[in-house]
Amino acid sequence: MNAGTVAAIDLGASSGRVILGHVGHNELNIRSVARFVNTPVRTIDGLHWSILDLYRGAISGLRSAVREEPELLGVAVDSWAVDYALLRGQRMLGNPFHYRDTRTAAGVTTVHAIAPPTELYGRNGLQFLPFNTLYQLAADQLDGALDDADSMLLIPDLITYWLSGEKIAERTNASTTGLVDVAGGEWDDELIDRLGLPRGLFPRLVDAGNRVGSVLPEVLAEIGTGHSIDVMTVGSHDTASAVVAVPMISGNAAYISSGTWSLVGVELAGPVLTEASRAANFTNEGGVDGRVRYLRNVMGLWLLSESLRTWELAGQTFDLPGLLTQAGAWRGPVIVFDVDDPRFLPPGDMPSRIRDYCREHDLREPATPVELVRSIVESLADAYAHTLRVAAELSGTSIDTVHVVGGGSQNELLCQLTADRTGLPVLAGPVEATAIGNVLVQARAQGLVTGSLESLRALVARAFAPRRYVPRA
């Protein structure tokens, strides 16, 4: 079995990156060749992703990748879920909307008038989020935006199409649309028809770990190579790729993929579709190799990043590591608030919203940025602990270890407070779990490694030893 190198295009809600992964028997290392910001754009009609800037960043990153690795074997794309572009033929009809845009309220009302939440949960297994794809599409239908479209591509599938010329829907990400049958894993044609959505919008579903095609000749010319490069599918929902790379050695481990959002849950063999699960707003999303990611979306580091942005706009610049150090040393009273209150979803003045929440709930308002940061981190850890207790109860599993991956694994205060509030050891890392999972699924498809997800995770554990946090008395 030979070693080889593949490229992961990993698009996050605040930044994108192109990462090279070199994989072989007992060998795994990664290096970043490009990073670029992902800044949404607000126009007169709402909040959009600057998708062409992201594509330009990806192409520039691939140019660097082939310069460093002329024999690059393949490339695959992952990103956040639910958002999409509408196309007619090869032409994109408009910049994709951002899931934090507020246009979807009418779509929620329309969908629930046809299929109530209890029925939807039995069909798609998803937690209610007002920006799930089916609500966005219903809003577009009401606005007439679907009239000229003949296809709909989720964000990673759109980049895959521009690279390969092939329109597909990778299954893990498609499972977040609300339009895939949770039992069979195929498009729910009956629901699509009842909602009045054109069936032709939805491309064929493809599992992670398949070759879609080759990078188009014009794209090869743009990145500066004549060498053929495979375009692959991976867990294109970034959390699906991240979970592949969670170094879960214990069979009773839970995970927290901590970034802009926090995805908190366990991996199961099948979905949990009970009324108690629906009422607790847990989701059953598709994972690689047919696994189920049973989890809840919890508000994440978005609360910190929006607070920093608000202070910066007001002329106050803070160093986040310094604030976190001071927050860790804070010995005054700590306010814990509900991080999942809907007011915290849209962009805006997060410190003021948190103070408003405290006033409305008779809580003492954080008086300084240090107090506010400690309150945010403590509240996130509290939400993680509660979510994990409920996940264990609803799924009938026992949790003895919590893995934190993604950007939040570098936040020592968050990891320690999570250990304290769960009463469980926390293993932090790897930071680049999403890109690593992307690389490993490609590598397995290329024959560079073999085995189950457990084998891939053992390789991750050897290559990226996690940092351990133990609960404090």
Side-chain angles (χ1 to χ4, degrees), residues 202-414:
F202 305 97
R204 64 187 175 94
L205 289 160
V206 177
D207 287 331
N210 280 281
R211 181 180 179 275
V212 177
S214 298
V215 174
L216 293 168
E218 55 268 34
V219 179
L220 291 175
E222 190 170 358
I223 65 176
T225 183
H227 171 71
S228 179
I229 300 171
D230 290 335
V231 180
M232 309 293 294
T233 56
V234 294
S236 66
H237 183 192
D238 49 12
T239 308
S241 276
V243 171
V244 169
V246 175
M248 293 186 283
I249 305 304
S250 162
N252 296 321
Y255 57 81
I256 301 171
S257 181
S258 177
T260 300
W261 285 92
S262 300
L263 292 305
V264 183
V266 293
E267 186 175 69
L268 301 176
V272 179
L273 301 175
T274 61
E275 175 57 22
S277 180
R278 186 195 71 81
N281 217 21
F282 269 76
T283 201
N284 298 269
E285 294 177 353
V288 173
D289 289 358
R291 309 284 177 95
V292 171
R293 292 177 288 118
Y294 186 64
L295 57 86
R296 267 194 85 242
N297 281 44
V298 175
M299 204 71 70
L301 301 177
W302 161 255
L303 296 171
L304 283 177
S305 61
E306 273 298 279
S307 295
L308 289 172
R309 191 178 71 87
T310 299
W311 290 326
E312 185 175 340
L313 288 173
Q316 297 176 283
T317 301
F318 292 100
D319 170 60
L320 181 57
L323 272 179
L324 288 168
T325 298
Q326 294 176 69
W330 174 255
R331 292 297 176 262
V334 178
I335 304 305
V336 174
F337 63 92
D338 179 10
V339 296
D340 291 323
D341 189 284
R343 78 186 72 200
F344 303 130
L345 181 61
D349 185 345
M350 207 59 69
S352 292
R353 293 177 188 172
I354 292 170
R355 287 192 293 269
D356 289 345
Y357 178 96
C358 290
R359 277 195 301 273
E360 292 170 18
H361 292 81
D362 296 323
L363 300 172
R364 191 181 68 83
E365 298 176 42
T368 68
V370 169
E371 289 181 62
L372 187 85
V373 166
R374 177 57 184 262
S375 181
I376 289 173
V377 177
E378 194 88 46
S379 299
L380 285 172
D382 183 69
Y384 295 169
H386 172 74
T387 301
L388 289 174
R389 285 193 294 271
V390 176
E393 179 183 340
L394 293 174
S395 64
T397 58
S398 176
I399 298 173
D400 60 19
T401 307
V402 180
H403 288 267
V404 179
V405 298
S409 67
Q410 296 177 297
N411 189 322
E412 296 178 7
L413 179 60
L414 179 61

Side-chain angles (χ1 to χ4, degrees), residues 149-210:
D150 60 19
S151 61
M152 181 277 300
L153 294 177
L154 296 165
I155 298 299
D157 300 328
L158 176 67
I159 305 298
T160 295
Y161 171 59
W162 285 341
L163 292 174
S164 68
E166 296 292 331
K167 292 183 179 180
I168 56 99
E170 189 279 319
R171 205 176 299 271
T172 68
N173 206 22
S175 76
T176 72
T177 63
L179 296 168
V180 169
D181 172 34
V182 68
E186 301 295 333
W187 292 117
D188 187 338
D189 289 342
E190 181 189 349
L191 180 60
I192 290 169
D193 182 63
R194 284 169 59 193
L195 295 177
L197 301 174
R199 178 60 180 86
L201 287 179
F202 305 97
R204 64 187 175 94
L205 289 160
V206 177
D207 287 331
N210 280 281

